[in-house]
Amino acid sequence: MFVHGNNLEQKETHQTKYNDKESKQFLSEIRAKYDQWKSANEALKGPTKEIAENDQETLIERVRLLNEYKDFLDQQHYAEKFDSRSNLHSSVLEEFMFYLFRDLVFSISETALIGKSHSFKDLFFRATSYSAMVKSPNALIEKKDHDFAIGASVRATMQCQGQEEAEIHDWDIPAVAIECKTYLDKTMLQDVSTAADQLKQKNPNAVYIVVAEWLKLTESVNLKKYKIDQIYVLRKQKNTDREFRYSPDYVKNPIYPDVLEHCFNYVRVFLTADWEGGIAHGLENGYLI
């Protein structure tokens, strides 16, 4: 759940990397600021599944805390010391998703899946022989990593008829999958669309969302052909290469609270709605889809 905090701890305890004086100093500074950010988010309660008068106020405060921490972490000396391969910067948004949706999800179920997930993608059977096949299902579960998911963790027991021994498999089933990007370009869009299509084939009720800070798409991109339910661009701004973001004349937009408010409400309506569907239900209305 605390993806960014775990990433930071891995760097603090790494045996071979980040051992120089400057790295240790930077990590110590980031740790102090991260602990403040985490504590402030944990102390802030809501919103939940029940609509309350202070929901907007709470969301605005969460985004204020996010902007404050992001502005600190995105300083040039930290960005140059810990590049994109370290995932230190990109993991902030993943952890923020947990703070954003935590109280909503737990107000529905305290045992719900929330956070980074290795989710169910496909199931197939591969026995070594027919004699092995009649003794055990030999099921193999293909999984897909999601930056953030809200759903259910499932334990399945499979047993061949007449056999006492059973196979036990654990997997996650997302109701909502959210991919977090620093920026979204066309290649990334195609990749996440493929992942969304694969998810919806096995769980047609699922919602797939992309959340990015910046956008790197042109007007010639036809968003309608992709399988994503919604794309949020938090800074309402086109992408600029990182080296230009530190130019004196570059104006970096903040992360806008109204964008994340829309995202939160979209997910809340979905998680609290009736998912009734299927052919029998559609036949009563006279239209199936």
Side-chain angles (χ1 to χ4, degrees), residues 97 101 147-148 176-180 192 196 199-200 206-212 227-232 262-264 266-267 270:
M97 289 295 126
F101 293 111
D147 291 339
F148 180 82
V176 178
I178 300 180
E179 294 304 305
C180 301
V192 294
L199 173 63
K200 290 168 181 282
V207 163
Y208 198 101
I209 296 170
V210 177
V211 173
K227 305 298 184 181
I228 303 163
D229 292 284
Q230 187 55 270
I231 299 170
Y232 291 99
H262 188 286
C263 177
F264 177 84
Y266 181 92
V267 172
F270 172 71

Side-chain angles (χ1 to χ4, degrees), residues 35-213:
D35 287 345
Q36 292 174 10
W37 179 58
K38 180 182 178 182
S39 296
N41 270 289
E42 290 186 321
L44 191 61
K45 301 302 179 184
T48 67
K49 67 178 181 179
E50 304 295 340
I51 298 174
E53 290 183 2
N54 66 335
D55 282 353
Q56 186 179 55
E57 180 183 331
T58 302
L59 292 170
I60 288 172
E61 177 61 12
R62 287 205 189 279
V63 177
R64 187 194 69 78
L65 292 169
L66 175 62
N67 273 310
E68 185 181 84
Y69 183 63
K70 282 288 293 178
D71 287 344
F72 171 82
L73 188 63
D74 289 348
Q75 292 180 82
Q76 187 171 4
H77 56 289
Y78 295 142
E80 290 175 348
K81 191 67 177 180
F82 308 106
D83 61 19
S84 59
R85 290 171 296 179
S86 74
N87 294 323
L88 180 65
H89 299 266
S90 60
S91 59
V92 174
L93 200 52
E94 296 175 32
E95 184 161 327
F96 174 76
M97 289 295 126
F98 171 71
Y99 299 135
L100 180 65
F101 293 111
R102 174 197 60 193
D103 295 325
L104 165 62
V105 172
F106 290 154
S107 69
I108 298 172
S109 170
E110 294 184 357
T111 60
L113 162 72
I114 179 171
K116 204 171 186 70
S117 172
H118 308 291
S119 301
F120 176 84
K121 180 181 177 182
D122 206 353
L123 166 68
F124 60 102
F125 304 91
R126 193 173 65 188
T128 56
S129 64
Y130 178 62
S131 60
M133 178 181 175
V134 297
K135 293 177 182 176
S136 177
N138 292 279
L140 295 174
I141 313 298
E142 188 177 1
K143 298 179 181 180
K144 170 72 172 70
D145 290 343
H146 292 296
D147 291 339
F148 180 82
I150 299 169
S153 296
V154 174
R155 168 161 288 191
T157 302
M158 300 183 185
Q159 187 175 18
C160 287
Q161 186 172 347
Q163 301 297 315
E164 295 184 359
E165 188 174 345
E167 290 181 2
I168 297 176
H169 298 275
D170 297 302
W171 63 71
D172 297 336
I173 303 177
V176 178
I178 300 180
E179 294 304 305
C180 301
K181 304 291 183 185
T182 301
Y183 67 88
L184 179 67
D185 63 17
K186 190 172 181 179
T187 300
M188 294 175 185
L189 181 61
Q190 291 168 339
D191 289 343
V192 294
S193 178
T194 299
D197 189 37
Q198 292 170 341
L199 173 63
K200 290 168 181 282
Q201 285 179 20
K202 298 300 184 293
N203 183 13
N205 284 329
V207 163
Y208 198 101
I209 296 170
V210 177
V211 173
E213 290 187 55

